[in-house]
Every structure is written in C-alpha cells, then in structure tokens.
C-alpha cells in the first residue's frame, strides 16, 4: 500500500519519527518529576495532544488532575490558562469582552477587545460541570473551530489549542451535566482512579519534603504541530478502518449489526466523529509504540475512552447497574476481529 509515509524521503522520515519518540519520552520524563503513577492517563493525554484533540478528565478530588495538566503544558513550552468553573461564571469571563477606552488627549472613545483565558495553548477547564450550559457553550465554538466570537467579531485562538476539562463524578448537587454536543467534541473521557498504596507513599514523600522540581521544556508549538501531521501519515488497513466504523455503528440500537444487549440498554450511540477519533488515536498509539501502521490492539485499547462519553444508556441499564464501560467491553468481545490482520 502506497502511503504518505512512503512518499517522504527515508532519511527525513526517520528523523521525524525519532524526534516524535524523543519528544514523547521527554514529556513523560519531565511530568514524572511531579506525577506518580497514572500511566494510562498520561498515555491518553499525550495521545490527545499528538492528535490535536481535547480531553475530558473524570476523577475524584485530589487525584492530581490540575498538577498533571500544568506539568504537561510546561514540558511542551506552551502557554497555560486555567478557568475555575463556578455557577456564576459568565461566557464573557471565558472568551473575553470589549471595553470602551477613552483617549485622554482627544476624548475619543474606542472599543478594545480584552482577551479572556481561553486565549492559551492549553486551557484547563476545571470542574466544567459546575457551570450552567450557557457558559459551558462558550467553549463549543473554541473546541470545534479554534476561534471565538465576541460582538460579531471572530478571533482566532493560538495554535496548537487544547481543552483539558475536569469533572467530579460524585458531586451531583449543584452540577450541570455536559450536553451531548459538547461531550462529542472531546477525543477521550479519561478516568483517573486512586493510586496504589506504594504510589501514595511516594506522593507523600515527594510533597512533604523541600524538593521543588523544575520542569524543563522539551519541544515547541511549531514542532508539536509538525508531529501532529506526522501522526496523520500513519497508515491503517481498510479492514481495521471498517472495524472501527462497525464498532461505532454497533453502539446505535437501530443499527443492523447492533447486538441484543445494545438494543436493550442503549438509547443513543456514537457519531461519525467517534470513528474518526478512534482511528486518529490509534495512529498516535501505533507511532508511540514504534510501529508504522495501526493494529487491531491499538483500536481495542482506545475504544473505551473514545466511546464511553458518547453512549447514552436507558433506565434498564441504570436499574441493573450496567455502565457504558461494561457495554463497550461486551461490544469489543462481540464484534469479530478483522480477518486479514
């Protein structure tokens, strides 16, 4: 199969691939100065960064979500902005607003745009489910179009641009679940769990001493954009791409290949965007594992975090305490593997 990778000069291609691995390993090395454990979470966040997608982090308080995102931003050498979502936060608090400035000499007044915290390379939307839908929607245009509109004027956001949003899964009082249209913009819904006892001891040792780790910059915005293009060049066999599409289609209860348990428990399944994200994420994972093509294992490993926030279950699933992860695991086991792998 003739691919974009094959069309490049062999020496140049090898240099770009080696640089990809060096940057990824460098980021992990720097983040490990302040973060213990959470290997799967870090892998998914880095995959999202190299794909150019956004990530929703779901975890209990005190699982180092904010610290992890800040450390990654410092290692990437990108501008970092944090937005603490609260019930009284307004859309203009995120996007920015126009103010009237008066020239003291002439008395002439002009409108001046003051950018909000969304004008950063990595934006941490902390506890995004604590603010009403009107304010949550201020992120929608930014996540999809990489721009925001204020008083009819469109302002482009810096590139690269990532939204890493956090939400608390247990505090339901006073929260506003994200609408499905916004959830669909996130590449992953990454779940952070508690650390092991040994890792917690390491965290206590690190954070109660006098150590003050310094995060070194390992890459730049321009290089990250180049590496994102490199990821898109990774080839995928037609049979694997078809499996990804069939996996997403099987989450829709009206689909012909939807199994009985999907028809029983699922109200709404994944969109076409889910299949696109699954393939892109699999390409980044393949390259991270020093493979130059996507494998079936890449798709299986990422199907759950890509799809878990795109499936809406019905009351039958809730009454039987079946969650989306269980549905997706059953679905992966149910679908036949591609024949020519």
């Amino acid at each position: 199969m003739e691919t974009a990778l094959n069309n490049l000069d062999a020496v140049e291609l090898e240099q770009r691939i080696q640089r990809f691995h060096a940057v990824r390993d460098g980021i992990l090395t720097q983040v490990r100065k302040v973060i213990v454990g959470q290997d799967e979470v870090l892998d998914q966040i880095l995959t999202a960064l190299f794909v150019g997608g956004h990530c929703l982090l779901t975890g209990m308080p005190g699982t180092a979500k904010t610290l992890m995102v800040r450390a990654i931003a410092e290692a990437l050498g990108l501008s970092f902005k944090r937005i603490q979502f609260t019930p009284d936060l307004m859309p203009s608090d995120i996007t920015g607003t126009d103010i009237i400035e008066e020239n003291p000499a002439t008395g002439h007044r002009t409108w001046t745009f003051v950018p909000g915290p969304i004008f950063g390379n990595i934006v941490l939307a902390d506890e995004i489910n604590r603010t009403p839908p009107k304010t949550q929607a201020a992120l929608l245009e930014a996540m999809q179009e990489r721009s925001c509109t204020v008083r009819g004027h469109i302002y482009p956001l810096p590139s690269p641009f990532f939204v890493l949003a956090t939400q608390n899964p247990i505090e339901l009082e006073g929260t506003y679940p994200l609408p499905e249209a916004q959830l669909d913009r996130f590449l992953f819904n990454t779940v952070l769990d508690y650390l092991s006892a040994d890792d917690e001891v390491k965290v206590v040792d690190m954070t109660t001493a006098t150590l003050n780790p310094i995060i070194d910059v390992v890459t730049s915005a321009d290089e990250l954009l180049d590496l994102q293009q490199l990821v898109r060049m990774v080839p995928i066999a037609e049979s694997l791409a078809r499996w990804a599409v069939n996996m997403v289609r099987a989450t829709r209860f009206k689909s012909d290949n939807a199994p009985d348990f999907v028809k029983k428990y699922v109200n709404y399944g994944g969109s076409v965007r889910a299949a696109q994200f699954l393939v892109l994420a699999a390409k980044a994972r393949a390259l991270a594992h020093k493979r130059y093509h996507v494998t079936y294992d890449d798709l299986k490993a990422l199907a759950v975090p890509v799809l878990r926030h795109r499936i809406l279950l019905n009351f039958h699933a809730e009454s039987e305490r079946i969650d989306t992860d269980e549905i997706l695991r059953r679905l992966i086991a149910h679908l036949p593997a591609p024949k020519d792998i």
Side-chain angles (χ1 to χ4, degrees):
M1 178 187 295
E2 186 70 18
T3 67
L5 283 176
N6 293 333
N7 291 334
L8 291 177
D9 177 77
V11 176
E12 177 191 357
L13 176 60
E14 185 62 28
Q15 290 175 345
R16 292 177 68 182
I17 292 174
Q18 289 180 0
R19 184 57 188 163
F20 174 89
H21 294 144
V23 168
R24 190 178 185 279
D25 292 342
I27 295 171
L28 288 174
T29 298
Q30 297 304 314
V31 173
R32 285 295 177 210
K33 293 180 179 179
V34 294
I35 297 295
V36 175
Q38 305 290 12
D39 294 337
E40 185 177 357
V41 174
L42 285 172
D43 281 342
Q44 290 178 17
I45 293 177
L46 290 183
T47 298
L49 292 174
F50 286 120
V51 166
H54 311 292
C55 195
L56 180 63
L57 306 177
T58 303
M60 311 290 273
T63 50
K65 299 185 292 293
T66 303
L67 179 61
M68 187 182 302
V69 175
R70 184 185 295 275
I72 290 174
E74 291 178 6
L76 290 169
L78 303 179
S79 62
F80 171 77
K81 300 293 180 66
R82 181 177 183 267
I83 307 171
Q84 182 63 52
F85 281 79
T86 57
D88 59 348
L89 196 72
M90 298 297 293
S92 59
D93 296 328
I94 298 174
T95 61
T97 187
D98 285 321
I99 63 172
I100 298 177
E101 285 191 340
E102 181 176 343
N103 189 320
T106 63
H108 182 66
R109 295 179 178 179
T110 58
W111 286 100
T112 302
F113 177 66
V114 179
I118 201 167
F119 286 85
N121 295 121
I122 294 184
V123 177
L124 174 60
D126 215 357
E127 293 191 294
I128 191 174
N129 58 334
R130 287 219 164 272
T131 201
K134 180 179 181 180
T135 304
Q136 291 174 356
L139 283 176
L140 260 178
E141 179 187 1
M143 294 171 66
Q144 184 64 33
E145 306 297 338
R146 266 61 175 182
S147 65
C148 72
T149 304
V150 179
R151 291 184 64 251
H153 298 284
I154 299 176
Y155 298 95
L157 296 173
S159 188
F161 174 75
F162 306 102
V163 173
L164 299 175
T166 70
Q167 63 177 0
N168 189 331
I170 60 171
E171 295 182 12
L172 300 179
E173 186 176 351
T175 62
Y176 304 84
L178 288 172
E180 285 72 21
Q182 188 158 9
L183 284 172
D184 201 37
R185 263 70 178 183
F186 287 102
L187 171 65
F188 288 136
N189 180 1
T190 300
V191 176
L192 287 82
D193 205 350
Y194 288 121
L195 298 173
S196 66
D198 291 339
D199 284 342
E200 286 196 28
V201 171
K202 293 178 183 178
V203 170
V204 171
D205 289 340
M206 289 172 56
T207 56
T208 58
T210 58
L211 296 176
N212 187 21
I214 303 298
I215 304 296
D216 298 322
V217 176
V218 299
T219 186
S220 64
D222 291 339
E223 184 175 50
L224 185 57
L225 292 172
D226 179 69
L227 295 178
Q228 289 176 1
Q229 292 302 311
L230 180 66
V231 166
R232 289 177 172 267
M233 297 178 188
V234 176
I236 180 172
E238 181 182 353
S239 59
L240 292 173
R242 189 170 295 277
W243 185 92
V245 170
N246 289 337
M247 175 70 188
V248 174
R249 291 179 61 85
T251 63
R252 308 166 191 163
F253 73 92
K254 292 184 179 181
S255 178
D256 294 336
N257 63 333
D260 292 338
F261 60 86
V262 168
K263 295 178 180 179
K264 180 179 179 181
Y265 296 123
V266 177
N267 267 350
Y268 298 99
S271 67
V272 177
R273 189 181 284 115
Q276 294 172 323
F277 281 164
L278 180 55
V279 170
L280 277 174
K283 289 184 175 187
R285 186 180 187 273
L287 200 58
H289 285 72
K290 299 184 178 181
R291 285 183 274 98
Y292 306 142
H293 60 87
V294 176
T295 67
Y296 179 48
D297 288 339
D298 294 323
L299 295 173
K300 286 198 302 180
L302 297 174
V304 173
V306 167
L307 286 166
R308 63 161 55 107
H309 54 298
R310 293 182 164 89
I311 296 178
L312 183 62
L313 303 182
N314 57 30
F315 69 93
H316 293 295
E318 185 176 354
S319 64
E320 298 183 28
R321 296 186 177 181
I322 296 177
D323 59 11
T324 54
D325 285 21
E326 175 63 23
I327 295 292
L328 291 170
R329 284 191 292 266
R330 291 189 192 182
L331 200 50
I332 292 172
H334 172 80
L335 286 180
K339 295 180 180 179
D340 55 342
I341 60 172

